[in-house]
Amino acid sequence: MIPAAWRRGGHWAAWCAASAILLGGCANTGDMKQADAHYKLGYSFLIDQQMQPAFVEFQKAVELNPRDRDTRYALGHLYFLQENFSEAEREFKRVLKIDPRYAAAWNYLGKVYEEEGRMDLALEQFDRALALPQYATPDLAHYNKGKVYLKKGRPDDALKAFNAARRINPAHPLAAYEAGRLYLERGAAQDAVEALRVTVKQMPNSAEAHAYLAKAYAAAAMRAEAQDAYRTVIELAPGSRWADEARGQLEPARR
């Protein structure tokens, strides 16, 4: 909100001029109402996965109210989905000019840098998100850090990050999946089983998750559970490479 003294003292014009340079101008009350209507319509299109109509509505909204944080964030999200990372980066930076304490935007900017191969910058953005106590979903930033650490060839740091995500959100399926795979690689079969059970509970139709759980059961000498998991893989994705591997594990048991 702009202080009344600014408006009376003529500072409003200066503030508008600065905003116009940064974000394309100021919005009056009528424009803001219209912008909100376009934003809500764009959001409904986004929920229905109608990306182009959503993009059009968000563009209309931001033309009317260039300083709307949520519309800028939505545009950044759509650019990211389109793999237009330069525009996504630009939008998230605009979001953070408007609200530098918007942790989700720091996290998303980190994802952009990750996709661009700028891994150290990505980690910096995730840490900025995690430094904000009002961040509602810090498990996402921890998970994203883990993925970057994997790409950097730092599995120990990756496992710490995935487990940090799991401590905040014990039902996080992807953090549990990645942790389970890392535990399996280092021979910690029981830890792998514990983690991968979380994943298959949250993602029961993932043949890949069931396949890794089957491997973890086998490594933990839980033969019956492994056989059941391999059968589930075949049921879920009979034509997949996961099913081919599962059949190879089941055939010796039949002989």
Side-chain angles (χ1 to χ4, degrees):
M1 179 173 291
I2 306 305
W6 277 39
R7 296 194 292 270
R8 290 194 298 271
H11 298 295
W12 170 246
W15 186 87
C16 272
S19 294
I21 294 170
L22 289 175
L23 295 166
C26 298
N28 60 41
T29 302
D31 286 345
M32 291 175 69
K33 288 181 178 179
Q34 290 183 51
D36 186 58
H38 284 298
Y39 171 79
K40 289 176 179 176
L41 183 56
Y43 187 78
S44 68
F45 282 132
L46 185 60
I47 292 298
D48 291 338
Q49 298 185 18
Q50 299 184 57
M51 301 306 178
Q52 185 58 30
F55 184 78
V56 170
E57 293 302 323
F58 291 141
Q59 286 285 7
K60 290 178 180 178
V62 84
E63 287 173 6
L64 291 164
N65 184 9
R67 289 191 58 81
D68 186 73
R69 183 195 75 173
D70 294 337
T71 305
R72 291 283 183 190
Y73 185 89
L75 279 172
H77 171 67
L78 285 175
Y79 281 127
F80 185 89
L81 293 180
Q82 296 167 359
E83 299 185 359
N84 188 342
F85 300 122
S86 60
E87 287 296 329
E89 178 184 347
R90 187 173 292 111
E91 288 300 335
F92 290 128
K93 285 183 174 179
R94 285 168 170 165
V95 169
L96 291 164
K97 283 182 182 286
I98 297 166
D99 184 0
R101 299 185 66 78
Y102 191 21
W106 287 115
N107 177 61
Y108 219 147
L109 183 58
K111 285 294 297 174
V112 171
Y113 287 142
E114 178 189 352
E115 291 294 333
E116 292 177 332
R118 302 155 77 182
M119 300 303 175
D120 290 335
L121 269 177
L123 290 171
E124 288 178 17
Q125 313 317 306
F126 299 142
D127 284 336
R128 288 190 179 193
L130 291 168
L132 295 168
Q134 69 269 38
Y135 190 17
T137 55
D139 54 307
L140 299 180
H142 282 297
Y143 170 75
N144 290 334
K145 283 184 70 174
K147 294 291 286 183
V148 170
Y149 282 134
L150 282 181
K151 291 179 179 179
K152 287 173 68 69
R154 296 166 58 179
D156 291 343
D157 290 326
L159 183 57
K160 289 177 184 177
F162 294 136
N163 281 335
R166 294 173 65 207
R167 283 192 294 273
I168 295 166
N169 179 8
H172 195 300
L174 297 179
Y177 171 75
E178 297 294 352
R181 291 201 311 154
L182 288 169
Y183 279 129
L184 193 57
E185 288 176 4
R186 52 186 67 194
Q190 289 292 345
D191 289 329
V193 166
E194 179 187 351
L196 290 163
R197 278 175 171 169
V198 171
T199 302
V200 299
K201 182 178 180 180
Q202 299 298 321
M203 302 169 61
N205 295 321
S206 172
E208 183 175 345
H210 282 281
Y212 273 103
L213 179 57
K215 293 178 182 180
Y217 280 141
M222 301 171 69
R223 183 175 178 278
E225 290 87 347
Q227 297 292 298
D228 287 342
Y230 283 128
R231 293 187 187 98
T232 300
V233 172
I234 295 169
E235 291 172 5
L236 288 172
S240 68
R241 72 178 182 89
W242 304 109
D244 291 340
E245 291 180 9
R247 292 186 189 96
Q249 295 299 319
L250 286 171
E251 285 172 3
R254 292 172 183 154
R255 289 198 288 265

